[in-house]
Structure formats: structure tokens, C-alpha cells
């Protein structure tokens, strides 16, 4: 089954940029002056790469959050990083600075990270559940603030804010890829570097401590790395839900291996899953692209439930 | 040398004692008196500056240096990831290169569990896997919290022989309610009562019938060199 999925995933990645309302034949790529050439290299390929990198980062983020918080329902957005980014993006739109929306979103995400870890430092005794609760409290605060933003914004601004909250992979050119690719690479390097420590954490925190691990420090490094990477993702593509929640679980069921051995597969299939969702979103024949977050939930939820039943 | 000086928290008051290297100890006391709390303080899971082992603070030392100081084996094996196997668990535990996983599994008669997921083990099997892990870890001090609670009589016998073997780990601290085990082990006894150390001394004196009558209010009797609970 694993081999078959691998082959299908590679076929999907190779075929995805050619499929759309405008079908492109590989031979048309040789003509650099053609419209199809431009659509392929300036829209489709960057979009596919963006979907792949975003999916990979979110799936990996899910794996780390679920491991560190000992909670299978944790996602990379659990600590409120996405909510912070969304709120700041909304602020940018309301202030008429929509063009700087990504920058605002990134500032919102990073501000959330700073608040979270600042609060965590003041805990008398560190524990991840307290950090989780602070994250949830921040999320509620941001959600309430977003409601205020909606109520003071115009119809057009509300629509723009709404679109951002559902995630959007429409990009032109490789500008965002040059930001996301190093982000993904750095995240992978950090997580692979701490693979042994992650495995100790996957046993139990006490066990990890007794093996000499500085549990607090390693947890903080992993959460910080994921939060920053997710902050970059959300600032570019908005908060795309469900990928971080289900991909780690699906991969664990398919591979039947502990999470530390699935770092690269989870990144890869997280990326493939979002490329597939984006392909569907682009080809549903609606007037505008269906928001990517809608497709990830529609596609992922039934498959996830099916796997759980089979397990 | 393990030293705890004037340790106090909400459960324990003014706890002080020393345990020299290569000496063993049995910790006894009624339910909820603070035995596990004390164990977690000793091994640095609950941070405290009242404890030093070979001059180091276990809660402030990290890496292999810390791991080599002290280890704690809880009553229940906790493994979050359902796909971590016994072999993987033991590989993670293996800090002592003098002994192999194979030898340890064979000695404890659990070779057949090697590829099993840790989460699918019975309580008794999980306990033996933890003992195997402690052996491979090889810390200067190892605290076993209720090591025989889930074991059948043969496994208790196996573990008893292991605890008596001077080549099995350096200093062993056994927390137990199994008085007969404590009696037969003959390690020095630390008895906790009313938040304090009520007794610290030889097993021989602790297990005198007169002392047992006082501590356990005549519920424990020595019959033919065996301790039994009067039912």
C-alpha cells in the first residue's frame, strides 16, 4: 500500500501544474512566448510549490504539537499563532494597508509567539498544559477582536478578511516560495536534529528527564521553531485548517511506526495532500476558487474517520 | 553519596538522610504518606536544591552525567506513542554498554515481547520491561516504585533474586507495600509516617515483632520467618 501511495503522490505532483481550467500539454512548455508557458511557470508551478511547502510545514507542525502537548487534537494553530496573524491581517485591511497584509500577519503571529513564551517564562513550574491554556485564551481574545474588526469594517473589507481566514494559495511568481522554502528547510533541519530527543518525549516527559534531557528547553525549541514557521505560512497563505491535525494521524496509521521515524513522510504527504486539495479547489468549476480550507476539511475528515474505523 | 537535607513540601516535612554509594534502601509507609513524592524529589523530577548526588543537583544537571546519577522506575509504564516497541524503549534506556538488550531480555524471560508495542503490554509485562530498562540504564541510584505490585509469584521471585544480586545495579531503593519482600531483602529501612521519617535503620530491628506491632497496629505477624498480614 505504501509503494502505491508513493507512486500516486509522485504522479500527482508531476501532473498537478498541468491540470486546470486551462489544460497545458508538456510540449507547450518549450514555447516561452506562449500563454500556456506563462501560466505554467508564473502561476501553476509556484502555486503547486506553495501548496506543497505549506502542507508540509503544517503537517510537521501538527506532529510536533501533538507530541509536545500530549494531545492528539493539537494543531499548529492551537497556540493562537494563526488567530494572531488573522487579526493583524484584518487590521491591515481595515487600515487600507491590505498590500502589507502578509507583513502584518507575520507581525501578529510573532507577537503571539513572544507573548506565549514570555508568559511561559513567568510560570513557577513549567508545564505544557498551562502553555496550551494560555494559547487557547489568546485565541479567544483574538477571535473576539476579529469580531470587532468585522463590525467596524465595510462590506468589501469584511469579504477580504473572510477570504483570508479560509486560506488562499493564489500567488504569482516565486517571491513567496523564496521565503517559504528556507523556512521549511530550517524547520526540517531543527526537527531532524532533535529526532532522538523527540523520541524520548514520545515515551514520557519523566522518562525523557531521567535520560538526562532538558525537557523544558527542548519543548520550547520545538514549539518556537514550529510557531515561527507557521507564522510565516499563515502570513502568506492564511490559516489552512485540518492538514496539521489529520496528516500525522493518517501517516501513523499507514506506516505503523513511531512519530520520530515519520518526520520526512509527514512533511512530504502533508505537501501532497494540500496539492491535491488545491487541485480540487481549482477545478470545481465554480466562479471563484473554493477556499482551500473547505476542501481540506471535506476531503480529510471522511478519510480520517475511515482510517480510524479500519484501525 | 546521595544526600537530602531538610526537604519540606506540602506532604513531607524536614526530610534528611544520606545514602552512601552501593548501599540499598527500602522505603515503607502507608498509602499517601509521600513515598512517591520523595522518590520524585530524589531523582529531580520535582526540582529541589535540597538534594545532591555525588555533589551534583539532579534537577539542574543534564545529559548523560545527570542520567548516570539516578533513575526512577514508576509503578506504571507510560508511553505516549502507541508504535514505540519494547526494543525501541530499551534502546532509548541503554546507557550502560556493559550489558546487552538480549541478555537482559533473556534474564527476565521476556524475549518474546521484544517487538511488541509498549502500549499493548500487560501491567506485569510492562513492569518487567521497566526493570530491563533500568538495568540497561545503569544509574548510580535506581528507585523502584512498587516493582512487584503487578507481578505473579514466579516473577516476584525472579525480581527478588535480581535485587539481591550485588551485580544488578549499584544502589537500589525499593518502595513497596510488600513487607515480606522488604523483610527478605534485608536492606536498610526508611519508614515514613505523619510527613516525617519515623524510622531509619536496619531491617533486622524494624522487622522485630514488637516494632511491627507498634507501627502496623498488630496487623502484621511474623510466622516461620515470613511476614503475613492478619486477615
Amino acid at each position: 500500500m505504501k509503494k502505491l501511495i508513493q507512486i500516486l503522490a509522485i504522479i500527482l505532483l508531476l501532473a498537478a501544474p498541468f491540470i486546470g481550467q486551462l489544460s497545458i500539454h508538456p510540449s507547450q512548455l518549450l514555447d516561452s512566448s506562449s500563454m500556456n508557458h506563462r501560466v505554467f511557470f508564473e502561476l501553476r508551478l509556484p502555486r503547486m510549490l506553495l501548496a506543497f511547502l505549506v502542507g508540509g510545514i503544517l503537517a510537521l507542525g501538527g506532529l510536533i504539537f501533538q507530541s509536545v502537548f500530549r494531545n492528539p487534537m493539537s494543531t499548529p494553530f492551537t497556540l493562537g499563532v494563526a488567530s494572531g496573524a488573522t487579526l493583524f491581517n484584518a487590521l491591515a485591511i481595515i487600515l487600507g494597508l491590505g498590500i502589507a497584509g502578509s507583513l502584518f500577519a507575520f507581525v501578529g503571529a510573532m507577537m503571539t509567539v513572544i507573548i506565549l513564551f514570555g508568559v511561559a517564562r513567568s510560570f513557577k513550574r513549567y508545564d505544557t498544559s498551562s502553555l496550551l491554556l494560555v494559547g487557547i485564551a489568546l485565541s479567544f481574545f483574538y477571535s473576539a477582536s476579529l469580531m470587532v474588526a468585522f463590525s467596524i469594517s465595510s462590506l468589501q473589507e469584511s469579504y477580504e478578511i473572510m477570504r483570508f481566514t479560509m486560506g488562499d494559495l493564489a500567488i504569482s511568481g516565486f517571491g513567496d516560495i523564496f521565503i517559504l522554502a528556507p523556512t521549511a528547510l530550517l524547520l526540517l533541519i531543527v526537527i531532524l536534529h532533535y529526532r532522538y530527543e523527540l523520541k524520548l518525549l514520545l515515551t514520557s516527559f519523566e522518562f525523557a528527564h531521567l535520560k538526562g534531557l532538558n525537557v523544558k528547553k527542548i519543548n520550547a525549541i520545538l514549539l518556537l521553531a514550529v510557531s515561527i514557521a507557521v507564522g510565516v505560512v499563515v502570513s502568506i497563505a492564511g490559516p489552512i485548517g485540518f492538514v496539521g491535525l489529520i496528516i500525522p494521524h493518517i501517516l501513523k496509521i499507514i506506516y505503523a511506526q513511531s512519530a520520530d521515524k515519520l518526520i520526512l513522510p509527514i512533511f512530504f504527504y502533508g505537501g501532497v495532500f494540500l496539492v491535491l486539495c488545491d487541485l480540487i479547489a481549482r477545478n470545481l468549476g465554480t466562479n471563484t476558487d473554493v477556499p482551500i480550507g473547505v476542501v481540506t476539511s471535506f476531503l480529510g475528515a471522511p478519510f480520517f474517520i475511515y482510517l480510524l474505523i479500519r484501525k | 553519596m546521595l544526600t537530602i537535607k531538610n526537604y519540606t513540601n506540602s506532604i513531607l516535612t524536614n526530610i534528611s538522610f544520606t545514602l552512601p554509594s552501593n548501599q540499598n534502601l527500602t522505603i515503607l509507609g502507608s498509602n499517601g504518606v509521600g513515598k512517591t513524592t520523595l522518590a520524585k524529589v530524589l531523582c529531580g523530577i520535582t526540582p529541589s536544591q535540597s538534594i545532591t548526588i555525588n555533589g551534583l543537583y539532579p534537577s539542574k544537571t543534564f545529559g548523560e552525567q545527570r542520567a548516570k546519577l539516578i533513575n526512577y522506575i514508576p509503578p506504571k509504564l507510560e508511553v505516549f506513542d502507541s508504535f514505540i516497541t519494547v526494543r525501541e524503549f530499551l534502546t532509548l534506556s541503554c546507557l550502560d554498554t556493559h550489558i546487552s538488550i538480549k541478555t537482559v531480555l533473556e534474564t527476565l524471560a521476556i524475549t518474546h515481547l521484544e517487538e511488541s508495542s509498549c502500549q499493548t503490554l500487560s501491567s506485569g509485562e510492562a513492569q518487567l520491561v521497566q526493570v530491563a530498562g533500568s538495568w540497561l540504564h545503569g544509574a548510580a541510584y535506581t528507585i523502584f516504585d512498587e516493582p512487584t505490585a503487578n507481578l505473579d509469584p514466579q516473577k516476584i521471585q525472579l525480581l527478588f533474586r535480581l535485587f539481591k544480586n550485588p551485580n544488578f545495579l549499584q544502589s537500589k531503593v525499593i518502595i513497596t507495600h510488600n513487607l515480606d519482600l522488604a523483610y527478605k531483602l534485608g536492606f536498610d529501612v526508611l519508614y515514613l509516617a505523619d510527613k516525617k521519617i519515623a524510622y531509619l535503620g536496619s531491617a533486622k530491628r524494624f522487622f522485630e515483632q514488637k516494632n511491627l506491632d507498634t507501627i502496623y497496629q498488630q496487623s502484621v505477624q511474623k510466622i516461620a520467618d515470613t511476614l503475613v498480614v492478619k486477615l
Side-chain angles (χ1 to χ4, degrees), chain A residues 177-191:
Chain A
I177 304 300
F178 290 135
I179 299 170
L180 260 189
T183 306
L185 188 66
L186 278 175
L187 181 65
L188 268 172
I189 290 170
V190 169
I191 295 173

Side-chain angles (χ1 to χ4, degrees), chain A residues 199 203 206 211-212 259 261, chain B residues 40 44 63 79-81 88 137:
Chain A
K199 184 148 195 166
T203 307
E206 281 190 6
K211 299 299 166 232
K261 292 178 186 155
Chain B
K40 289 190 177 183
V79 176
F80 173 71
D81 192 306
E88 288 177 307
H137 184 133

Side-chain angles (χ1 to χ4, degrees), chain B residues 157-176:
Chain B
Q157 208 172 45
L158 176 73
L159 212 55
F160 169 75
R161 286 179 187 144
L162 212 51
F163 287 151
K164 286 293 273 181
N165 183 348
N167 296 322
F168 172 69
L169 297 171
Q170 297 170 52
S171 284
K172 289 151 280 205
V173 178
I174 316 289
I175 297 173
T176 186

Side-chain angles (χ1 to χ4, degrees), chain A residues 117 137 218:
Chain A
F117 287 92
I218 299 297

Side-chain angles (χ1 to χ4, degrees), chain A residues 52-257:
Chain A
F52 183 79
L53 293 169
V54 166
I57 291 173
L58 291 178
L60 215 48
L63 170 79
I64 297 301
F65 271 53
Q66 286 156 18
S67 305
V68 169
F69 288 116
R70 292 284 185 273
N71 185 338
M73 296 302 291
S74 285
T75 77
F77 302 152
T78 305
L79 289 181
V81 174
S83 311
T86 306
L87 177 65
F88 272 65
N89 183 271
L91 279 177
I93 291 167
I94 291 169
L95 294 171
L97 299 167
I99 198 159
S102 290
L103 185 65
F104 267 67
F106 184 69
V107 170
M110 289 309 103
M111 203 183 79
T112 309
V113 172
I114 292 166
I115 293 172
L116 276 169
F117 287 92
V119 172
R121 277 173 70 92
S122 65
F123 292 156
K124 277 183 187 163
R125 197 183 154 198
Y126 172 83
D127 69 296
T128 50
S129 53
S130 302
L131 191 63
L132 190 68
L133 291 174
V134 174
I136 290 168
L138 269 179
S139 293
F140 277 110
F141 179 80
Y142 287 145
S143 298
S145 305
L146 191 64
M147 289 301 121
V148 175
F150 270 122
S151 64
I152 59 169
S153 61
S154 68
L155 206 60
Q156 174 62 27
E157 287 165 352
S158 289
Y159 176 74
E160 284 180 41
I161 297 169
M162 185 72 86
R163 285 294 301 197
F164 182 81
T165 61
M166 290 178 177
D168 189 5
L169 293 170
I171 56 162
S172 177
F174 287 87
D176 290 332
I177 304 300
F178 290 135
I179 299 170
L180 260 189
T183 306
L185 188 66
L186 278 175
L187 181 65
L188 268 172
I189 290 170
V190 169
I191 295 173
L192 286 170
H193 178 72
Y194 289 108
R195 185 196 291 222
Y196 169 76
E197 287 80 357
L198 181 64
K199 184 148 195 166
L200 286 173
L201 294 175
L202 288 168
T203 307
S204 80
F205 286 170
E206 281 190 6
F207 181 81
H209 170 85
L210 292 162
K211 299 299 166 232
L213 195 70
N214 188 338
V215 174
K216 184 178 170 179
K217 186 178 146 192
I218 299 297
N219 276 346
I221 290 171
L222 291 173
L223 291 180
L224 193 63
V226 170
S227 297
I228 291 172
V230 167
V232 175
V233 163
V234 178
S235 67
I236 293 171
I240 299 170
F242 227 64
V243 184
L245 174 67
I246 62 166
I247 294 297
H249 289 295
I250 289 174
L251 266 285
K252 275 193 230 174
I253 292 169
I254 292 174
Y255 275 74
Q257 284 182 330

